[in-house]
Amino acid sequence: MREDLGIRIKELRIKQGLTQVDFANRLGYKHPSIISEIESGKKGLSANKLPLVANVLGVDINSLFFTKIVHKTRTIKI
């Protein structure tokens, strides 16, 4: 799961035109190497960091885990 999240974060970071250095700075990390470790799945993210990551990447938290959100609707016959 960490790998999948890391890959998704990398995709979104690149789409936003952010370097690992820029991204690390915006997340409050002192060393940009942490971003490489997160994106490769070597390190995970704490749950309290996820809202900030989503905000910096300009997406909602669900977009970090899912590439598509499918809304199911149910019709009820009366």
Side-chain angles (χ1 to χ4, degrees):
M1 172 120 163
R2 269 197 312 207
E3 250 180 69
D4 293 340
L5 178 59
I7 290 167
R8 185 72 181 132
I9 288 171
K10 183 176 182 177
E11 289 172 350
L12 292 168
R13 176 183 61 76
I14 291 169
K15 186 176 178 182
Q16 287 294 323
L18 295 171
T19 66
Q20 288 183 343
V21 173
D22 294 333
F23 192 47
N25 288 336
R26 291 185 187 192
L27 295 178
Y29 290 116
K30 294 178 184 178
H31 303 285
S33 61
I34 189 75
I35 302 303
S36 176
E37 293 174 351
I38 291 168
E39 291 177 349
S40 67
K42 292 178 184 172
K43 286 208 182 251
L45 278 168
S46 61
N48 64 347
K49 208 55 141 168
L50 289 174
L52 179 58
V53 169
N55 186 39
V56 169
L57 294 174
V59 298
D60 63 36
I61 291 177
N62 288 325
S63 297
L64 297 176
F65 299 97
F66 307 104
T67 56
K68 289 184 181 178
I69 297 176
V70 178
H71 297 280
K72 276 190 169 182
T73 60
R74 185 187 314 174
T75 56
I76 302 171
K77 287 187 176 184
I78 301 178

